[in-house]
Amino acid sequence: MKVLKGTEKLTIKDVAKRSGFSVATVSAVINDVPIVSEKSKNKILQVIEEMGYRPNTIARSLKKSKTSTLAIIVKDITNPFYPELISGIEEVAWSKNYEVFLCNTENDIEKEKKYIDNLISKQVDGVFLSTSSLDRIVDYTVLSDSNIPYVFVNRKPNVLFDNEWFVGTDNYAAVQKAIRYIISKGIKDIAFYAGPQEYWTFNQRLLAFKETMEKEGLEVKDEWIFTREEFNEETGYNNTLKLIKDSKLPECIFCSSDPLAFGAYKALSENNIKVPDDMYLMGTDNNKFGELIGLSSIDMNNKQLGREAAEVLIDVLKNKETQKKNEIILPPELIIRSSC
């Protein structure tokens, strides 16, 4: 896999900087894509004339022919969720003669916007987006405006437009299945580490937790629900220290990501609370390192998620009138080990 760290210096960027418009807008004017107002188009054309810029033959060919390249944009490559997802995407892409660029935004919105401009400049054939918040902080439609289709993977906005696709796992069913299993063991008091609620995945998991607990006649205690900006080991550790300090302990801690569960396990161990003798523990995502501590978890089919997303995007590229559903949801699988 090639890691896209930026683009070589392109004259189109100089035009964008001078004119005050984005690379995507300048690209649309150069390639005569009718999405820019007449006033803006004239201003960009004037700057092009003043600079003496002429689109080179490579840039023209990139627009008129396929480049056989795809890109995936992720928020944090250190998140153990991504390796299998990317592996699934690359497996299908390579089998169909596409290269895949990896764009790691490091949770930086401006970096993500710059990546999108760069990908438009490079005229990649399609893009996988695993970064979207529910309220669309970033405008991804600049990709479709440049005739570059994209697929949301794992995370999606509140509304999908007609020319957008989403492939994800059923987060609601995953949590529902886990809660019912936990209850079947006679456990009633459950704490939930919910993760950041601006993302569809974690939003769905918290909704499923509350509704399933209520349907089963169990109390949902606000002090046992933790929503934080991060869903990493450090957050799981700090949540658990707060849980130990501030309230009566629950019987089980259910984490909406395995890294949260790893942090919880560490905090419990340091306070001589043994899993599963003194506390049950459940994770989500079935990270391979969970086997080391016997962590029960939910397999979200990450690799298959990548495969399905690649199949959808490549089908869209080959068949603009594709019959593929705009939304594909995969089933989760409960993995039981010793922790619960």
Side-chain angles (χ1 to χ4, degrees), residues 290-330:
E291 295 181 17
L292 299 176
I293 60 171
L295 181 66
S296 292
S297 189
I298 309 166
D299 193 329
M300 303 299 283
N301 285 316
N302 297 346
K303 191 163 187 175
Q304 186 60 27
L305 201 60
R307 293 190 189 110
E308 290 283 347
E311 292 283 0
V312 168
L313 185 55
I314 293 171
D315 185 65
V316 170
L317 288 168
K318 292 184 176 180
N319 176 19
K320 297 297 183 182
E321 302 301 320
T322 180
Q323 297 302 305
K324 289 278 189 183
K325 294 180 181 178
N326 273 51
E327 188 167 329
I328 295 175
I329 305 294
L330 303 183

Side-chain angles (χ1 to χ4, degrees), residues 181 258 281-284 294-298 335-340:
Y181 165 76
D258 280 352
L281 184 62
M282 174 73 71
T284 308
L295 181 66
S296 292
S297 189
I298 309 166
I335 307 297
I336 301 304
R337 301 189 180 96
S338 61
S339 73
C340 188

